[in-house]
């Protein structure tokens, strides 16, 4: 546990269930809430020798995050350190904006995020958008570039061919 | 009566009896009774006489009234007859006098009017004669003028006919020129229509591409969920993997 306490935010591993920056914000909020509850319990029972406050029930994302990084919330110093590091993590994680034509399910997002974490950066998260005009595919924005893999972009690219075919059709008539 | 029913107490002498009767006749009561009786009788006589007098007076007045009415009627009739006769005579004489005067005045006026009418007839005859002469001369003059007008009209008709022929020739020439212009315009219009048609068809084809594209966007929207698209997306990401990685590692 002493090794894990020494981890900095850039060394944290994000589990597949943590997909977006919003999920990271939720992790931070839950950590702060748990820390407040445990601190209150300790203050309330400070006169009792050997009292160990029980950790409240945690969400799946936080449990995954703690187990993925081998962290515990027993020590208040560790908790403070984890909160501080997660706060920094929230501000520094690389974000990829992905806009879909339909609502994206969590499983697909996890797959995509895993691909980014394996390929580009292990702490990558996505910001999901919705634009039905894309028809299909994804409109992706990395920090400095835009990658339009949507059906709309393909149709736009094929407009010249469509006009050519219509002209051919007219000539045939 | 009581006086005579009293019992004779004793036989008296006639003188005594007369004296008693006289005394009796002349006592107060008897005198009062006599006075009353006399008053009543007097009033009765007066009333009867008054009634008779009134009756006779009424009869007299009625008779006098009838006689007076008859007399007055006769007098009035006489006077009315006399006045009527006088008035009739006076009015008749007045009317006769006025009729005479009026007849005289009317005769004079009739004579004057007859004179005037004779003068007027004479004057009208003279005027009629003058007018007849004037009309005769005017008709002759009018005939002359009409003849000259007809000649002038004929000359104008000739000139108009010549002008009409010239205008007709000009119109024919214009019609020919217009036909030629119409043909040129038709050719130019056809050319323009063809050009316009080509331009519109070109624009239509451009718009048609947009329409087809829009149709595809509408038709394919919401047809595929992300899970179904995931292999294709992953493939494209793999194809662009290097660019994505390079950008994120900067």
């Amino acid at each position: 546990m002493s090794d894990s306490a020494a981890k900095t935010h850039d060394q944290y591993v994000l589990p597949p269930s943590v997909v977006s920056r919003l999920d990271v914000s939720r992790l931070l909020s839950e950590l702060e809430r748990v820390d407040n509850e445990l601190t209150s319990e300790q203050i309330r029972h400070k006169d009792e020798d050997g009292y160990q406050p029980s950790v409240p029930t945690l969400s799946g994302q936080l449990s995954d995050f703690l187990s993925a990084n081998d962290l515990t919330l027993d020590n208040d110093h560790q908790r403070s350190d984890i909160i501080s590091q997660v706060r920094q993590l929230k501000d520094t994680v690389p974000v990829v904006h992905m806009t879909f034509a339909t609502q994206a399910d969590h499983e697909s997002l996890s797959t995509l995020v895993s691909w980014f974490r394996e390929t580009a950066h292990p702490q990558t998260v996505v910001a999901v958008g919705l634009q039905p005009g894309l028809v299909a595919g994804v409109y992706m924005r990395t920090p400095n570039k835009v990658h339009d893999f949507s059906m709309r972009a393909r149709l736009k690219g094929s407009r010249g061919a469509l006009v050519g075919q219509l002209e051919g059709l007219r000539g045939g008539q | 009566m009581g006086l005579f029913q009293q019992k004779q107490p004793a036989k008296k002498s006639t003188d005594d009896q007369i004296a008693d009767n006289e005394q009796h006749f002349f006592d107060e009561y008897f005198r009062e009774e006599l006075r009353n009786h006399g008053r009543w009788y007097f009033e009765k006589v007066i009333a009867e006489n008054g009634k008779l007098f009134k009756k006779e007076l009424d009869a007299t007045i009625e008779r006098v009234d009838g006689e007076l009415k008859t007399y007055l009627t006769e007098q009035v009739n006489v006077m009315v007859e006399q006045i009527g006769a006088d008035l009739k005579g006076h009015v008749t004489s007045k009317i006769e006098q006025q009729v005479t005067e009026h007849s005289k005045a009317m005769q004079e006026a009739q004579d004057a009017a007859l004179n005037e009418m004779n003068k007027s007839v004479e004057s009208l005859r003279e005027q009629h004669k003058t007018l007849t002469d004037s009309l005769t001369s005017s008709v002759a003059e009018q005939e002359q003028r009409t003849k000259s007008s007809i000649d002038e009209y004929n000359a104008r008709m000739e000139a108009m006919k010549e002008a009409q022929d010239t205008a007709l020739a000009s119109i024919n020439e214009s019609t020919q020129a217009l036909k030629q212009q119409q043909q040129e315009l038709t050719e130019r219009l056809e050319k323009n229509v063809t050009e316009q048609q080509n331009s519109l068809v070109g624009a239509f084809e451009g718009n048609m591409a947009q329409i087809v594209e829009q149709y595809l966007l509408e038709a394919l929207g919401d047809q595929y969920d992300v899970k179904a698209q995931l292999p294709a997306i992953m493939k494209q990401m793999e194809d662009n993997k290097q660019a994505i990685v390079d950008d994120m590692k900067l």
Side-chain angles (χ1 to χ4, degrees), chain B residues 62-79:
Chain B
E62 195 176 346
R63 193 173 61 250
V64 168
D65 188 39
E67 288 175 357
L68 189 64
K69 204 179 277 180
T70 307
Y71 177 73
L72 283 173
T73 306
E74 287 174 357
Q75 288 296 316
V76 167
N77 283 339
V78 171
M79 284 177 73

Side-chain angles (χ1 to χ4, degrees), chain A residues 17-171:
Chain A
S17 58
V18 178
V19 173
S20 64
R21 183 181 270 177
L22 189 65
D23 293 334
V24 180
S25 298
R26 278 200 206 102
L27 284 179
L28 181 61
S29 301
E30 191 174 359
L31 282 168
E32 287 171 346
R33 181 180 59 78
V34 170
D35 181 46
N36 286 336
E37 285 183 17
L38 291 174
T39 307
S40 302
E41 283 292 313
Q42 278 182 346
I43 291 169
R44 211 173 287 142
H45 300 91
K46 65 181 179 183
D47 297 335
E48 296 175 20
D49 291 333
Y51 175 77
Q52 281 295 322
S54 58
V55 177
T57 308
L58 303 176
S59 67
Q61 284 181 337
L62 185 55
S63 299
D64 291 347
F65 176 74
L66 292 174
S67 62
N69 292 286
D70 196 19
L71 297 171
T72 60
L73 301 175
D74 298 333
N75 190 305
D76 55 347
H77 292 291
Q78 281 184 4
R79 287 199 301 270
S80 300
D81 188 48
I82 292 168
I83 288 168
S84 169
Q85 292 302 322
V86 170
R87 195 170 285 143
Q88 288 183 51
L89 177 68
K90 189 191 80 171
D91 295 334
T92 55
V93 286
V95 182
V96 176
H97 294 267
M98 301 187 86
T99 305
F100 299 97
T102 57
Q103 196 72 41
D105 58 310
H106 196 269
E107 191 182 342
S108 302
L109 289 176
S110 295
T111 309
L112 289 168
V113 164
S114 298
W115 184 87
F116 278 111
R117 287 175 186 167
E118 287 168 9
T119 310
H121 195 285
Q123 292 176 332
T124 306
V125 292
V126 292
V128 181
L130 182 68
Q131 195 176 340
L134 297 175
V135 185
V138 63
Y139 179 86
M140 192 168 71
R141 203 173 75 230
T142 52
N144 301 295
K145 282 187 179 174
V146 169
H147 304 276
D148 194 351
F149 302 141
S150 68
M151 178 74 84
R152 184 181 65 179
R154 279 196 175 190
L155 286 172
K156 199 175 281 182
S158 306
R159 185 177 290 178
L162 187 60
V163 171
Q165 282 185 1
L166 284 169
E167 281 178 349
L169 192 65
R170 184 163 66 92

